[in-house]
Amino acid sequence: MGAGRLGDYLRARRALLQPEDVGLVAGSRRRVEGLRREKVAILAGISPEYYLRLEQGRDTNPSRQVVAALAKALKLDADAAAYLDLIARATNLTKRHRVEKPNPDIQAMIDMWPRTAAYLQGGSFTVLASNPLAAALSRHFWIGANPMRAAFLESDMRRLYRDWEAMTAKAVPFLRSVVVERDDDPAVQELIGELSLRSDRFRTLWARHDVKVDHRGDTLFLHPQVGPLDLRFQKFLLPDSRQILVTYHAQPGSASERAFTMLAESARADKG
């Protein structure tokens, strides 16, 4: 699968480039979308025949130097270049089944954060641990839920995010960046397959092959209980398990902090 993914990615990124993007003059009779294979090969300093083999998946072991040259030729940013390097090497990864288990210390830790919503996601984005404030923020942050799936398929999730378009535009490149080492996981493939079939929005974004690792930023919610919430998010990739800890907090002294505090108090009351 790694070889096919490498070819797909090279084609997708090539299609997004125009000759003028790389200092070339576009011909008057262009029939090809994006940059031609031959131009990419020339810019990367490799033969057109070799580049064609890479796109067709007939060569599965490009050197790190070739990968770096292709990243430069395709004008990839740091995240996209790292992703290209990873999928180029993924063809030789040993496939193994992963059993997702949360570290109990993570659950104990996030339960002690009264004003920070936090949940832990596994490799297929299923929630493995969640604290009361995260559960109060959305039912799709409960243990066993899948926020990535819900973001595209659940109507209440679309209402929850005031910036749904911007959020989903960031979610798919992030998904692509973290599942590259888990493409042998049936749960990952099922998630991508279901979203590709059922969500036009996901299918369009996934086809772009964008890769972007956003570990922090702003998210705009509209909570049915407490109204607008402007929250800061942080994503922490745990190195031992490759699981993702997601947190939300409000800026001190803001209206959102007051509203988030009300939600936290409500969550504590319900738990008690």
Side-chain angles (χ1 to χ4, degrees):
M1 182 172 180
R5 182 172 52 195
L6 174 61
D8 288 345
Y9 188 62
L10 290 172
R11 284 190 295 274
R13 302 315 300 185
R14 178 168 61 82
L16 294 175
L17 278 180
Q18 299 302 320
E20 51 268 30
D21 296 331
V22 295
L24 300 174
V25 179
S28 59
R29 296 184 178 180
R30 283 180 52 80
R31 296 179 180 178
V32 179
E33 180 184 9
L35 203 60
R36 294 180 183 274
R37 291 191 187 96
E38 295 79 5
K39 298 299 184 184
V40 176
I42 291 171
L43 291 170
I46 60 178
S47 72
E49 292 78 11
Y50 180 47
Y51 179 78
L52 178 60
R53 292 202 304 272
L54 290 173
E55 278 206 1
Q56 292 179 341
R58 293 188 287 120
D59 191 298
T60 62
N61 193 29
S63 69
R64 301 296 281 270
Q65 291 80 8
V66 167
V67 172
L70 287 170
K72 184 177 181 180
L74 293 168
K75 293 191 170 297
L76 303 184
D77 63 17
D79 288 335
Y83 177 79
L84 176 63
D85 183 68
L86 191 56
I87 61 175
R89 291 184 287 113
T91 57
N92 296 319
L93 290 179
T94 300
K95 303 300 184 182
R96 62 190 186 277
H97 179 68
R98 299 174 178 85
V99 178
E100 295 275 30
K101 291 183 179 180
N103 184 332
D105 291 337
I106 297 293
Q107 182 67 69
M109 177 181 69
I110 64 178
D111 280 341
M112 292 188 293
W113 296 347
R115 296 190 180 185
T116 299
Y119 60 87
L120 181 70
Q121 291 180 301
S124 61
F125 286 81
T126 298
V127 177
L128 304 175
S130 176
N131 71 0
L133 185 50
L137 188 57
S138 171
R139 66 184 179 92
H140 300 296
F141 300 154
W142 296 355
I143 294 174
N146 191 304
M148 182 66 71
R149 178 188 180 278
F152 291 93
L153 301 182
E154 300 292 343
S155 57
D156 61 331
M157 199 68 148
R158 184 160 185 163
R159 292 191 298 270
L160 178 65
Y161 286 94
R162 287 151 51 207
D163 59 346
W164 183 83
E165 294 281 342
M167 182 274 293
T168 52
K170 294 177 181 178
V172 174
F174 181 76
L175 169 64
R176 188 176 282 281
S177 74
V178 299
V179 302
V180 60
E181 293 181 337
R182 294 175 174 268
D183 68 346
D184 60 321
D185 187 337
V188 172
Q189 292 308 308
E190 182 179 345
L191 173 66
I192 295 171
E194 181 183 15
L195 292 177
S196 297
L197 286 172
R198 297 184 58 191
S199 170
D200 292 339
R201 173 69 172 165
F202 179 87
R203 187 164 53 251
T204 298
L205 293 171
W206 186 255
R208 287 183 53 86
H209 286 253
D210 288 334
V211 180
K212 190 67 178 176
V213 183
D214 283 320
H215 290 297
R216 64 184 62 84
D218 299 305
T219 300
L220 307 179
F221 291 103
L222 182 61
H223 194 273
Q225 257 186 277
V226 298
L229 290 169
D230 297 359
L231 302 181
R232 292 284 295 169
F233 72 82
Q234 296 272 345
K235 295 178 181 178
F236 303 91
L237 187 62
L238 307 186
D240 56 339
S241 63
R242 309 300 290 174
Q243 295 168 355
I244 304 164
L245 179 62
V246 182
T247 68
Y248 292 99
H249 71 276
Q251 295 287 10
S254 65
S256 291
E257 183 193 36
R258 292 189 290 273
F260 211 34
T261 299
M262 290 174 55
L263 187 61
E265 292 172 349
S266 174
R268 285 198 297 272
D270 290 343
K271 187 176 180 180

